[in-house]
């Protein structure tokens, strides 16, 4: 079993598709280990996306991520990191396959509905950034 960190981003929560996304997560065989609704501050978002701090889109990204509440999740499944990235689809919804989260619920590269960790090291950092050990027991 493997764990990954996922976010239902502010656009998806505002659009009222949290339930549909959670249903797909469960239908695809992930176990929800931990889950919390949280309105991130700009600094929460900047710390989370620190690897992108030099990118031109960083300001827009942290504004967006702190614009409204998100749903923060720890998901568990065999090969969870890769499986959740596959279910999310390409970063830009325009390039994502039908049936993926980003194609079905994302509007643009800025408003792309979901986040998923991209490697075991980032999953470990991101899970510990948002969840306490006892929440992940
Ligand atoms: P995420 O980390 O959110 O799961 P990702 O791993 O598919 O997405 P990253 O390269 O980590 O993509 O980029 C993080 C986020 O920054 C993307 O989800 C997207 O909203 C935004 N982003 C990435 N590239 C661009 C870009 N060229 N222009 C605008 N926004 C971008
Ligand atoms: Mg990423």
């Amino acid at each position: 079993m493997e764990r990954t960190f996922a976010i239902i981003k502010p656009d998806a929560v505002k659009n009222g598709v949290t339930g549909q996304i959670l249903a797909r997560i469960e239908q695809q065989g992930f176990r929800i280990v931990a889950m919390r609704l949280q309105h991130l501050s700009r600094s929460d978002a900047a710390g989370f996306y620190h690897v992108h701090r030099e990118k031109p889109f960083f300001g827009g990204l942290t504004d967006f991520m702190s614009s409204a509440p998100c749903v923060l999740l720890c998901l568990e499944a065999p090969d969870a990191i890769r499986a959740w990235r596959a279910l999310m689809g390409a970063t830009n919804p325009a390039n994502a396959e039908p049936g993926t989260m980003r194609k079905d619920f994302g509007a643009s590269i800025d408003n792309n509905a979901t986040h998923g960790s991209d490697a075991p090291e980032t999953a470990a950092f991101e899970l510990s950034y948002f969840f306490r050990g006892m929440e992940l027991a």
Side-chain angles (χ1 to χ4, degrees), residues 2-24:
E2 184 177 65
R3 290 179 176 189
T4 192
F5 178 70
I7 302 180
I8 302 174
K9 293 187 179 183
D11 56 329
V13 175
K14 277 201 280 193
N15 290 338
V17 295
T18 298
Q20 290 182 63
I21 291 174
L22 290 174
R24 290 194 191 187

Side-chain angles (χ1 to χ4, degrees), residues 46-66:
F48 173 66
Y49 275 125
H50 71 278
V51 293
H52 295 308
R53 65 191 173 278
E54 309 294 345
K55 306 270 176 63
F57 56 80
F58 185 68
L61 178 61
T62 55
D63 279 349
F64 165 64
M65 291 300 289
S66 58

Side-chain angles (χ1 to χ4, degrees), residues 63-121:
D63 279 349
F64 165 64
M65 291 300 289
S66 58
S67 64
C70 290
V71 177
L72 311 174
L73 293 152
C74 173
L75 304 179
E76 185 175 79
D79 203 17
I81 295 170
R82 193 205 54 77
W84 172 238
R85 298 275 301 183
L87 190 58
M88 287 204 301
T91 306
N92 188 341
N95 303 328
E97 297 295 326
T100 62
M101 302 291 180
R102 284 165 163 175
K103 178 59 117 193
D104 294 353
F105 303 120
S108 67
I109 193 164
D110 307 291
N111 287 233
N112 61 1
T114 55
H115 162 78
S117 306
D118 58 13
E121 303 72 36

